[in-house]
Amino acid sequence: MQTTLCFDFGNTRLKCAVFEDRDFKEEKVLNNTDDTTIQQLIDQYHPARSILSSVINHPPEMEALLAKHTHFHKLGHTSKLPLTTPVGKPETIGADRLAICAAAVDLFPHKHNLAIGLGTCITYNYINNAHEFLGGSISPGMNMRFRAMHEQTALLPLVQADSVFPLIGYDTKTNLLSGVILGMAKEIDGIIEAYASKYKNFNVLLTGGDMGFFVPHLKNRIFADPHLLYKGLYAISEYNQ
C-alpha cells in the first residue's frame, strides 16, 4: 500500500491529507511549514509521493525536503493535468481551482461539471465533457463578508458563523448571519441556475471548509464532498508520476 501526502496551503489554513493508495485516511492541520513539522509527517507516514497546492509564499526549503524523501510534485500551470485549460493566462489559475477541477474530472469523467469551492473566496469552475476547464467566476467568501461588514462600518460587530439563525433576523447578529449565509446560498443557487440555462445535464460539486453552513439551504441537487480538493491533488499526483 502506497502513502501519498497532499498539502493544501490556503490563505486561511495549512493542511495535509494522508492517502493510502486512492483512499483518503485523515486530514492534518499544520501550525507552520517549518522543516521540523514536515519531517515529522515524513517520519510518521513514510510517504512514497507528495504533492503541494499553495496560494501563499512558503519556504522553498520545504519543497526540497519533500523532494529528498518522496516523489514530489508542486501543482502549477505547467503540471500535467487530466484536463486542459483553454483560458487566457493559465499561469494565473489558482492551484486550488485546478485541484477541484481535477477531482471533478476524476470522479465524473466525460461529464459536464460545475465545481464550486467554498473557502476564503467562492470559486465557480466549469469543466465540459471534453475535460476542458472553461473558467468561471470568483466572489467573496463567508468570512470575508463578515469581516468586510465589521471593518467597513462603525458599529457592526464581527460575528462568528453559526448554522442556527432565522430567515428574519431579530438582532444584529442574526441579521448578519441571515444576510451572509442565506445571501450566499441564494447566490450559489442563482449561479447554478444561470449555468443550467446555458448548459444541460451537468454535475454540481461542492467543497470547502464552509460547506456545511450552506448545504441545508441549497435547493439544487449537488454532490458535496469536503475532501474534493485533496482527491484532486491525489489524482494530479498520480497523473504526474
Side-chain angles (χ1 to χ4, degrees):
M1 191 168 290
Q2 181 173 266
T3 299
T4 302
L5 298 181
C6 298
F7 293 89
D8 171 31
F9 291 175
N11 291 299
T12 305
R13 291 194 299 167
L14 310 172
K15 300 171 292 181
C16 176
V18 181
F19 281 80
E20 290 182 1
D21 292 337
R22 290 181 61 89
D23 296 327
F24 171 88
K25 291 301 180 181
E26 62 178 311
E27 177 188 62
K28 309 282 284 188
V29 177
L30 310 182
N31 293 323
N32 55 62
T33 58
D34 293 347
D35 285 0
T36 301
T37 299
I38 303 304
Q39 187 65 57
Q40 286 174 346
L41 289 172
I42 294 170
D43 293 340
Q44 181 178 356
Y45 295 103
H46 306 288
R49 296 195 315 229
S50 62
I51 183 169
L52 168 65
S53 165
S54 177
V55 295
I56 64 170
N57 293 320
H58 59 272
E61 294 80 12
M62 189 204 79
E63 295 184 25
L65 183 61
L66 288 169
K68 178 181 178 181
H69 294 282
T70 71
H71 183 90
F72 171 69
H73 183 76
K74 180 182 178 182
L75 177 57
H77 74 281
T78 59
S79 298
K80 290 194 299 181
L81 301 170
L83 58 127
T84 59
T85 55
V87 297
K89 297 184 178 180
E91 68 276 8
T92 65
I93 302 171
D96 54 336
R97 299 182 76 183
L98 292 176
I100 64 174
C101 287
V105 167
D106 187 60
L107 291 170
F108 301 103
H110 306 295
K111 302 287 186 181
H112 299 302
N113 293 294
L114 175 62
I116 304 171
L118 297 173
T120 303
C121 292
I122 312 174
T123 66
Y124 301 90
N125 311 278
Y126 193 78
I127 313 99
N128 67 17
N129 60 3
H131 296 176
E132 296 174 317
F133 173 39
L134 301 183
S137 55
I138 304 174
S139 69
M142 180 180 68
N143 287 319
M144 188 181 293
R145 298 183 195 212
F146 284 134
R147 288 200 314 272
M149 289 192 289
H150 169 62
E151 294 170 2
Q152 297 183 36
T153 66
L155 299 177
L156 290 179
L158 178 61
V159 301
Q160 296 297 315
D162 194 326
S163 299
V164 180
F165 58 87
L167 169 63
I168 303 174
Y170 53 82
D171 58 13
T172 302
K173 178 181 177 180
T174 52
N175 272 266
L176 293 170
L177 288 170
S178 180
V180 170
I181 295 178
L182 282 184
M184 286 178 63
K186 296 306 179 184
E187 173 193 322
I188 293 167
D189 273 328
I191 294 293
I192 293 171
E193 289 163 9
Y195 274 86
S197 68
K198 184 175 178 64
Y199 302 101
K200 304 299 180 185
N201 301 321
F202 61 90
N203 297 303
V204 180
L205 299 86
L206 187 71
T207 193
D210 296 335
M211 186 184 73
F213 293 105
F214 300 97
V215 170
H217 302 292
L218 298 175
K219 68 178 183 180
N220 285 283
R221 183 180 176 183
I222 58 171
F223 174 84
D225 186 342
H227 305 134
L228 194 66
L229 187 147
Y230 292 136
K231 292 176 181 179
L233 289 178
Y234 181 87
I236 294 170
S237 175
E238 197 171 46
Y239 202 72
N240 283 269
Q241 185 171 234

